[in-house]
Amino acid sequence: MKFDVVCVAFPAWEGDYVKSTIQLMSELAAHRRVLYVDYQYTIKDVVQAIFKNPFGIPVARILGLKKRLRSIVLENGATIYVLSTPPVIPINFIKKLSLFDKLLRFNSFWQAKTIQTTLHKLKSKEYMVINAFNPSYGIGLYESFKPHIQTYYCYDEIGASHWAKEHGPRLEAQFMKMAHYVIVSSEGLQNSKKLLNNNIYTIKNGVDFELFHKAFIPLSQKNPKKKIGYIGTIDQRIDYDILKRLALEFPDNEIIIVGRVLDDMSEVKIQTDPLKEIPNIKFEGAKSPSALMEYLKEFHIGIIPFIKNEQTAAIYPMKINEYLAAGLGVVATDFAPLTEFGKAIHVSENIENFIRAVRDLLENDSDDIQQARVEIAQQNSWKQRGLQLDALLEQFYKGYNKP
């Protein structure tokens, strides 16, 4: 059935790391017209970006000095529409509920006006709304989207997000009860959110298979000096004791860490500073997806050393399929349900098992085993996830009776 999709996004369109919302909307754009309502930048964000703009914030578009709406031709050949809305007043830090809610209504008024003007320009009358991890504007824009179907896409435990600690859980619980449907990215999230909305479905994270498979090199052709690698953000989710033990147990092997280090958080800095002094641990910083390939080509093993808590239980990490697409052996802690991968990855219940699994891969991994990993990743591509999402939205549209 023919309908457009309006995605009110939390993730910004600009950026050099993989975002599940952008991946899904990019794949969906191959099947439907998609309007991606970009991250709601604050006045503070815009002022700072005027003087220094490392993240490529589209300041001119946000201020209306350029057309707010742009059409972008994607690598898959599809076209997506990206809308930059006017800057909003920063309110996440406000603790007083009445003031927060009043300012949210004010911010939402200008957002709604810009979105509805754009939908009129696009002549979009029949559409569905996907709110991507942005419950405050899910609530703020809810009335302006009636009577259209509204779905909440949740890909993380919002209560664990630093930016949302004041209002996130309250607003998410409220919006999930308002939304017609909910889509989550993991089994853990489905278990934790299902009490708030019965119409809940799971679409797990995928992988840009064509990109990450470029990093595939048969083990027999790799440097005999084997490297243990991690790609991703270094934050409070990491079990730093595992990294220390790896460095101690495998002094002749480099442990390469590629990703942002959130050492502006004291609990992260106190852990990472000592690690930077260990000779065989290398921190490489954040890299673009294409630059990651050069690192993955050199890795022999990909690790996911997450601690086990409420936040990590909700994660379906993209890096598992990224490692597998590159043919890497994977060792992870048992932070979340990962049984679907079977014996393709090693899931460890404690540090000793983790070290044992790494040692086994270093000594016994082979070219033949690599191919089985690649086949699993191929089944979990973003293209497949996009088809799954399109079919699910079709199901929502057919099954929903508008008032």
Side-chain angles (χ1 to χ4, degrees):
M1 305 183 84
K2 188 174 181 180
F3 55 85
D4 297 335
V5 171
V6 179
C7 179
V8 179
F10 179 76
W13 184 263
E14 274 70 27
D16 60 359
Y17 63 95
V18 178
K19 305 170 188 180
S20 63
T21 304
I22 290 178
Q23 295 293 326
L24 285 172
M25 291 303 111
S26 296
E27 293 298 336
L28 194 61
H31 308 281
R32 304 191 181 278
R33 187 165 62 167
V34 176
L35 174 63
Y36 190 93
V37 181
D38 207 358
Y39 174 78
Q40 295 76 32
Y41 288 101
T42 67
I43 296 170
K44 179 182 176 182
D45 294 330
V46 173
V47 171
Q48 289 177 337
I50 290 173
F51 297 97
K52 188 177 181 181
N53 194 4
F55 303 111
I57 296 173
V59 174
R61 296 183 188 279
I62 294 168
L63 295 177
L65 302 176
K66 286 186 177 180
K67 290 183 179 180
R68 297 187 183 280
L69 183 66
R70 48 186 157 150
S71 60
I72 298 173
V73 178
L74 304 168
E75 290 184 4
N76 62 3
T79 297
I80 193 167
Y81 295 88
V82 179
L83 175 65
S84 297
T85 53
V88 298
I89 299 170
I91 60 176
N92 281 338
F93 68 95
I94 296 173
K95 295 184 179 181
K96 188 175 180 181
L97 296 187
S98 59
L99 178 59
F100 177 92
D101 291 343
K102 183 179 293 185
L103 290 175
L104 175 60
R105 287 193 295 272
F106 178 82
N107 284 342
S108 299
F109 172 81
W110 297 106
Q111 298 291 303
K113 187 174 180 181
T114 304
I115 295 168
Q116 291 300 331
T117 298
T118 302
L119 288 172
H120 179 73
K121 287 180 180 178
L122 292 174
K123 298 180 180 179
S124 181
K125 297 180 180 179
E126 202 61 31
Y127 58 85
M128 293 179 61
V129 179
I130 297 178
N131 178 285
F133 205 57
N134 201 349
S136 58
Y137 287 99
I139 294 168
L141 298 173
Y142 190 84
E143 293 296 324
S144 70
F145 286 132
K146 277 186 172 181
H148 299 277
I149 300 171
Q150 302 192 48
T151 297
Y152 178 54
Y153 172 50
C154 177
Y155 52 80
D156 205 350
E157 194 60 66
I158 200 166
S161 302
H162 180 73
W163 57 270
K165 64 180 181 180
E166 293 295 341
H167 303 283
R170 170 181 70 91
L171 294 170
E172 182 182 74
Q174 183 180 343
F175 181 56
M176 286 186 69
K177 293 175 183 177
M178 297 167 64
H180 303 109
Y181 302 96
V182 174
I183 298 173
V184 296
S185 61
S186 71
E187 183 180 331
L189 281 172
Q190 180 154 26
N191 291 335
S192 67
K193 307 297 182 185
K194 61 185 178 183
L195 294 178
L196 296 170
N197 193 310
N198 290 327
N199 296 317
I200 188 166
Y201 302 81
T202 301
I203 294 181
K204 295 178 179 178
N205 289 327
V207 59
D208 185 339
F209 180 79
E210 287 74 18
L211 174 63
F212 282 88
H213 190 53
K214 290 178 182 177
F216 177 85
I217 295 177
L219 286 169
S220 58
Q221 297 177 23
K222 290 194 175 187
N223 190 318
K225 189 172 182 180
K226 299 177 180 179
K227 295 183 179 181
I228 302 163
Y230 171 83
I231 59 173
T233 303
I234 305 298
D235 55 19
Q236 71 278 11
R237 299 172 300 174
I238 300 295
D239 187 331
Y240 292 97
D241 288 337
I242 289 179
L243 296 179
K244 293 173 188 174
R245 279 291 301 278
L246 285 171
L248 179 66
E249 295 286 340
F250 306 102
D252 296 328
N253 300 100
E254 286 187 337
I255 297 137
I256 311 297
I257 298 171
V258 186
R260 294 179 299 163
V261 180
L262 301 187
D263 50 11
D264 56 339
M265 301 171 64
S266 59
E267 63 267 37
V268 174
K269 183 175 176 59
I270 198 172
Q271 296 282 1
T272 55
D273 280 356
L275 291 179
K276 292 175 182 177
E277 302 300 318
I278 299 176
N280 61 328
I281 296 182
K282 310 291 183 183
F283 286 87
E284 298 293 330
K287 305 294 178 183
S288 67
S290 57
L292 281 178
M293 301 311 107
E294 298 307 310
Y295 288 95
L296 288 169
K297 287 176 182 178
E298 296 183 358
F299 291 174
H300 291 71
I301 299 172
I303 59 171
I304 308 177
F306 285 173
I307 59 175
K308 188 175 182 178
N309 60 19
E310 182 182 1
Q311 181 191 12
T312 57
I315 295 173
Y316 180 98
M318 285 185 276
K319 59 181 62 64
I320 287 184
N321 285 306
E322 292 168 353
Y323 289 153
L324 293 176
L328 301 181
V330 180
V331 181
T333 58
D334 62 339
F335 61 90
L338 300 172
T339 53
E340 68 186 85
F341 292 99
K343 295 182 179 180
I345 69 172
H346 297 257
V347 179
S348 304
E349 297 177 355
N350 53 53
I351 292 181
E352 298 305 325
N353 287 343
F354 197 101
I355 298 299
R356 191 177 302 118
V358 170
R359 180 172 286 110
D360 179 63
L361 282 171
L362 288 175
E363 295 175 355
N364 301 313
D365 204 5
S366 69
D367 293 5
D368 292 339
I369 300 174
Q370 280 184 289
Q371 193 55 45
R373 297 171 186 147
V374 169
E375 290 172 2
I376 290 174
Q378 195 167 17
Q379 295 169 13
N380 295 330
S381 69
W382 283 118
K383 183 176 182 179
Q384 293 301 319
R385 300 300 195 227
L387 290 170
Q388 185 182 354
L389 176 60
D390 186 58
L392 193 56
L393 296 182
E394 185 90 9
Q395 177 183 325
F396 294 169
Y397 189 87
K398 289 179 180 177
Y400 180 67
N401 295 316
K402 292 184 180 180

